Amino acid sequence: MATDAGDPLPRFPAGFLWGVSTSAHQIEGAAELRGPSVWDVFTAEPGRVKDGSTAAVACDHYHRYPEDVALLAGLGVNAYRFSVSWPRVASPGGLDFYDRLVDELCAAGVRPVPTLFHWDMPAHLDWLDRDTAARFADHVAAVAGRLGDRVTKWITLNEPAEHTLLGHALGAHAPGRRLLFDALPVAHHQLLAHGLAVRALRAAGARDIGIANSHGPTWPASADPADVAAAGFYDTLLNRLFAEPVLLGGYPDGLGELMPGDVAADLRVIAEPLDWYGVNYYAPTRVGAPLGTRGEFGGVTIPAELPFSVREIEDRPLTDFGWPVVPEGLTELLCGFRDRYGDRLPPVVITENGCSYEGLDDQERIAYLDAHLRALHAALEAGVDVRGYFVWSLLDNFEWAEGYARRFGLVHVDFDTLERTPKASYRWFRDVLRAQG
Ligand code: BGC
């Protein structure tokens, strides 16, 4: 295992974006100062969040943001990816908070990179309704109108794939629906919202726009054609369903026929050109033919009726979350995207990469990040145009249905006292950034 005294990392290009990511619902707290979110409703239902916790206080970043910006400055990142809470923006005075945060970041020399939707939406809205896409465009216009004089780099959506799958197909995240394939309109309406958001941002003068999609290599469980077909289907869901409408203006494998509305017209909106493409990478997935039984994957129950089953990746270290550590999967993923999409793929930014481990002397996290940065550099050397890398996450935070049990932060948070304590990985990343200049 690499330690904090490992070999220096290879050099990344000048102008590379080095950052960390967070999201509003996971860190802000101050829930009483905004309208209710779908996640407030979900967490209030018994049994939804494993430790029974809520994000009402979380890291209390809403009140402690100056301390958190000082941590960013101390780390030496040149960019910070955070999200604006849609329910907060819709509440009186809500945008004032982001105004203050952006000012604080600019004063510290850290470039603000807001995500406009990271899964927390006003509780009365529903992605099954087409109109939600238009409401999102209004939200985006309000944020861009207020912050666009200082924010130049924008992210429309975070992981619409996970929000569709976990929130609407499998019921493991808010709003907790178990619609299986009837959740497809949720995918289409988020993609439409993305396209409308790009138009709203451009209308407000933005010139540097991306999306943060989750992707990972899909490995068939065996060479058996049934396993290969199942893995191909999973690959379509995870890697193509949310990339191809955006990059190519079309749905893969006839999925467009299952989408609601005037799909051809919507695709013209969805395919508005992007300036860069964000990839959130954690691990590959091994997939086989359905086993006819319920399965378990990353704490989520996979129903028997799905046309695939998720299998274990053996012989790999696991994070505390049980996710396999496969750094070369990042090289494979990026080279695969370059081969699949050619010049339709804009420059790539890794908008999330990280792992959950306990402890302040988090040598496993250092090893994970070190190995993934080397894998990213290998993709650069193979000719993939990569422009930035954001660690998930700055702070330990509210890890959705896992509550506070999973710690992804470079900075430890004591959830009783809210005290922040930089971990060994924080110092390691700071030294990496210094060495990169
Ligand atoms: C999400 C984050 C989440 C992280 C770790 C990503 O899917 O964007 O909000 O905390 O993974 O699970």
Side-chain angles (χ1 to χ4, degrees):
M1 184 205 296
T3 66
D4 39 15
D7 292 342
L9 285 163
R11 244 194 134 65
F12 283 73
F16 200 75
L17 275 185
W18 291 103
V20 289
S21 293
T22 63
S23 92
H25 192 78
Q26 293 177 273
I27 65 168
E28 281 179 6
E32 73 288 358
L33 298 180
R34 55 161 173 75
S37 125
V38 287
W39 267 94
D40 299 327
V41 175
F42 183 78
T43 48
E45 292 167 16
R48 293 296 205 178
V49 175
K50 288 187 184 147
D51 60 6
S53 61
T54 77
V57 176
C59 306
D60 195 29
H61 170 76
Y62 181 91
H63 296 108
R64 293 164 197 255
Y65 73 91
E67 185 181 349
D68 295 336
V69 173
L71 284 164
L72 292 166
L75 190 54
V77 289
N78 56 25
Y80 172 51
R81 176 182 172 223
F82 60 100
S83 77
V84 294
S85 152
W86 189 352
R88 193 177 303 286
V89 168
S91 303
L95 267 170
D96 296 348
F97 168 66
Y98 300 106
D99 215 28
R100 295 193 291 275
L101 174 62
V102 164
D103 277 347
E104 192 87 7
L105 288 166
C106 292
V110 178
R111 187 172 184 187
V113 185
T115 305
L116 290 151
F117 176 62
H118 197 128
W119 303 351
D120 54 340
M121 64 203 282
H124 66 280
L125 293 179
D126 185 339
W127 283 118
L128 284 173
D129 296 338
R130 181 184 174 85
D131 188 53
T132 299
R135 298 286 71 74
F136 182 65
D138 295 342
H139 156 72
V140 171
V143 178
R146 183 70 178 268
L147 306 180
D149 55 336
R150 286 149 293 157
V151 170
T152 55
K153 199 173 189 73
W154 298 91
I155 299 175
T156 56
L157 308 180
N158 179 71
E159 300 191 356
E162 309 296 324
H163 190 54
T164 306
L165 189 72
L166 299 176
H168 298 78
L170 300 179
H173 279 188
R177 290 206 176 99
R178 294 194 177 86
L179 298 173
L180 299 181
F181 287 102
D182 290 339
L184 282 174
V186 170
H188 184 70
H189 294 151
Q190 284 181 91
L191 284 164
L192 180 61
H194 158 80
L196 292 172
V198 175
R199 287 187 174 177
L201 288 168
R202 297 252 187 257
R207 295 284 170 269
D208 193 357
I209 306 170
I211 186 171
N213 266 337
S214 56
H215 294 300
T218 305
W219 294 343
S222 78
D224 183 319
D227 285 338
V228 173
F233 182 73
Y234 185 90
D235 179 53
T236 298
L237 288 185
L238 181 66
N239 293 321
R240 300 177 59 200
L241 177 57
F242 295 87
E244 296 189 7
V246 169
L247 298 177
L248 306 181
Y251 278 107
D253 294 348
L255 283 172
E257 287 158 32
L258 304 176
M259 298 301 184
D262 183 347
V263 176
D266 290 349
L267 280 166
R268 285 193 285 280
V269 180
I270 294 169
E272 282 290 337
L274 287 181
D275 302 291
W276 53 279
Y277 188 82
V279 171
N280 293 356
Y281 171 74
Y282 288 90
T285 315
R286 191 181 293 289
V287 175
L291 296 170
T293 53
R294 270 156 55 120
E296 180 81 12
F297 178 52
V300 176
T301 302
I302 313 283
E305 54 269 49
L306 287 181
F308 56 81
S309 58
V310 178
R311 312 288 179 83
E312 244 174 68
I313 293 182
E314 286 153 6
D315 307 325
R316 292 293 185 153
L318 300 178
T319 70
D320 285 354
F321 213 146
W323 298 356
V325 179
V326 188
E328 71 276 19
L330 180 57
T331 322
E332 180 186 330
L333 173 73
L334 296 178
C335 291
F337 258 63
R338 191 261 327 269
D339 295 347
R340 200 176 251 178
Y341 300 121
D343 60 10
R344 303 298 290 272
L345 181 67
V348 169
V349 174
I350 304 304
T351 33
E352 283 182 30
N353 177 236
C355 48
S356 78
Y357 288 109
E358 290 292 318
L360 288 173
D361 187 24
D362 53 344
Q363 296 300 322
E364 299 101 327
R365 178 171 288 104
I366 293 172
Y368 180 103
L369 297 175
D370 179 281
H372 282 76
L373 281 169
R374 289 176 201 278
L376 183 61
H377 198 271
L380 266 167
E381 283 186 331
V384 183
D385 185 0
V386 186
R387 303 282 176 93
Y389 175 85
F390 289 75
V391 175
W392 184 270
S393 180
L394 173 67
L395 303 170
D396 291 341
N397 58 48
F398 178 74
E399 177 52 34
W400 308 115
E402 299 286 319
Y404 295 99
R406 307 291 175 199
R407 292 183 176 271
F408 279 86
L410 299 178
V411 175
H412 178 273
V413 177
D414 178 324
F415 290 106
D416 293 324
T417 63
L418 298 170
E419 190 188 344
R420 278 86 162 127
T421 309
K423 303 178 189 177
S425 58
Y426 175 95
R427 292 184 288 278
W428 172 84
F429 196 46
R430 179 197 61 197
D431 293 346
V432 165
L433 300 183
R434 281 186 188 155
Q436 292 287 331

